[in-house]
Amino acid sequence: MKCAITSVAAALLLSGVSAFTVPQNAGAPCSSSCSLARSIVDTPRTPSATTRLSPLFMGRAAAVRAATKGKTDAKKAKVNAYYGKKIIMAVKAGGSPDPVANRQLAELIKAAKNNSVPVDNINRAIKRATEKDAGDFSESTFEAYGYGGASLIINVLSDNPNRSTADVKSAINKKNGKVAESGSVLFMYDLRGKIEIPSVVDEEELLMAAIDNDVDDMELVEGDEEGTSIVFTDPKETGAMFEAVKSMGLEEGAKMSLSHVSKAPVECSEEDFEKNMAIIDALEELDDVDSVEHNMSN
C-alpha cells in the first residue's frame, strides 16, 4: 500500500498537481469543501507558478542532507582534533610555543591551515601545550582483519595508551572483526602522500604544475565522492604537491595528509562490505582514533 501511495503521489507531482489535492469525481455528490477542492484543481496554472514538492519527498531530502552534513561535520571535527593533538606534541617536543623557534610546530601550523583548521583552534592547542596538566600524546597503529579478505589499519593518537588499546580492541571484537599481529597487515600497504581536492582536476594541467614544483611522483584518481579528486605522491613530496595544487587555484577545501594505500585492493560482497563499514564506523566514533584505512575497492 505504501509503495502504491508513493507512486500515485509521484505521478500527480509530475503532472503539476499536488499529491495531497483532492481529485475530481464527476459521479459523486460534491459538498462545499469538495467544490473548493475542485476549484483549486481547476484553477489554471500560470507559467510562473511554482510546483510544490510533497512533504514525503521533502522529508527524505532533508534526511539525506542531515546525514551528509553529520558525516561532514564529524570528519571536520576529527581533523581539528588531530591537529590539536599534533600541535601539543610539537610544542612539547620542540620546547617552545613559538613557531619561529620551533620548526616542527611551524610546519604543523602550516599543514593545519591547509586543512582548514580554524586559527582559534590552533592558538588554543598551543596555549594548552604550555599548561602543566597537558597530556603527553603518542601515536600508535593497530591492524585488523574484517570480512571477505578486508584488512584495516587504525591510526591512533592518544594521551592514554592503555585506554585507546582497550577501546580499539573492544570495538573490533564487538563487530566480530579480528585484531591482527603487528606487521601482518602493514606490509600489504604503501605509505603515500595524499591530497584531496573537492573538484574535478585536469590531469595535464596538474602534471605541468607538479613539474614546475619539482614533483617527480604523482598519481591522479577519482575521489570517493562524485566531482572530487585525489592526488597521491611520495610522502616527501606532499608539501610540494600541495603547492602545485595551490598554483592551479584549487587550494580551497583541499586536504593534505599521509595515507596507507593497499598494494592489492579486494572487492567484497555487498554483505561483507556493510559488515566491514560497521567495524570502521565503530572505530571512527572513538576519540583516540584519527583515521581508519582499508583495502576494499568497492
Side-chain angles (χ1 to χ4, degrees), residues 62-141:
V64 170
R65 287 195 298 271
T68 302
K69 184 178 186 301
K71 289 182 179 180
T72 301
D73 291 345
K75 188 175 181 180
K76 187 181 298 182
K78 280 284 186 183
V79 171
N80 292 346
Y82 170 78
Y83 279 103
K85 290 183 282 188
K86 291 286 285 185
I87 286 171
I88 291 174
M89 289 177 64
V91 171
K92 289 193 168 189
S96 173
D98 183 1
V100 176
N102 188 335
R103 183 177 179 181
Q104 183 183 0
L105 175 61
E107 290 296 323
L108 270 172
I109 291 175
K110 181 180 179 181
K113 289 180 177 179
N114 285 340
N115 283 278
S116 305
V117 177
V119 175
D120 288 345
N121 290 38
I122 295 172
N123 292 336
R124 279 198 300 270
I126 294 173
K127 182 180 178 181
R128 175 62 179 160
T130 61
E131 298 173 357
K132 293 182 180 180
D133 62 341
D136 293 320
F137 290 95
S138 61
E139 293 178 291
S140 57
T141 301

Side-chain angles (χ1 to χ4, degrees), residues 81 256 284-285:
M256 178 176 64
E284 289 183 337
E285 288 179 359

Side-chain angles (χ1 to χ4, degrees), residues 45-275:
R45 296 175 61 87
T46 61
S48 61
T50 303
T51 302
R52 291 179 296 174
L53 297 178
S54 74
L56 178 63
F57 178 86
M58 294 172 66
R60 288 177 178 172
V64 170
R65 287 195 298 271
T68 302
K69 184 178 186 301
K71 289 182 179 180
T72 301
D73 291 345
K75 188 175 181 180
K76 187 181 298 182
K78 280 284 186 183
V79 171
N80 292 346
Y82 170 78
Y83 279 103
K85 290 183 282 188
K86 291 286 285 185
I87 286 171
I88 291 174
M89 289 177 64
V91 171
K92 289 193 168 189
S96 173
D98 183 1
V100 176
N102 188 335
R103 183 177 179 181
Q104 183 183 0
L105 175 61
E107 290 296 323
L108 270 172
I109 291 175
K110 181 180 179 181
K113 289 180 177 179
N114 285 340
N115 283 278
S116 305
V117 177
V119 175
D120 288 345
N121 290 38
I122 295 172
N123 292 336
R124 279 198 300 270
I126 294 173
K127 182 180 178 181
R128 175 62 179 160
T130 61
E131 298 173 357
K132 293 182 180 180
D133 62 341
D136 293 320
F137 290 95
S138 61
E139 293 178 291
S140 57
T141 301
F142 294 86
E143 302 164 53
Y145 295 111
Y147 296 84
S151 59
L152 308 174
I153 296 177
I154 304 103
N155 300 302
V156 171
L157 182 54
S158 174
D159 60 351
N160 189 328
N162 291 333
R163 179 193 64 214
S164 61
T165 298
D167 287 348
V168 168
K169 289 184 176 180
S170 176
I172 294 171
N173 291 332
K174 284 181 178 179
K175 298 297 182 180
N176 296 320
K178 181 182 178 182
V179 178
E181 293 183 7
S182 178
S184 61
V185 169
L186 271 173
F187 82 95
M188 298 186 288
Y189 291 75
D190 288 322
L191 184 63
R192 303 282 283 160
K194 179 181 180 182
I195 299 172
E196 300 171 80
I197 306 171
S199 60
V200 177
V201 180
D202 183 275
E203 188 170 10
E204 290 188 8
E205 290 184 16
L206 182 64
L207 178 61
M208 294 305 298
I211 293 173
D212 290 341
N213 283 272
D214 299 321
V215 176
D216 296 323
D217 182 2
M218 184 207 82
E219 179 187 5
L220 175 65
V221 299
E222 292 183 2
D224 296 331
E225 299 178 6
E226 186 177 354
T228 64
S229 305
I230 296 177
V231 183
F232 290 109
T233 186
D234 185 285
K236 296 178 180 178
E237 297 183 337
T238 307
M241 190 68 245
F242 193 83
E243 290 301 318
V245 171
K246 288 175 65 177
S247 71
M248 297 173 65
L250 300 173
E251 70 273 17
E252 185 175 352
K255 309 292 183 183
M256 178 176 64
S257 63
L258 295 179
S259 176
H260 291 96
V261 180
S262 174
K263 298 176 183 177
V266 299
E267 184 172 356
C268 300
S269 67
E270 185 175 347
E271 181 181 356
D272 287 341
F273 178 81
E274 293 299 330
K275 290 179 179 179

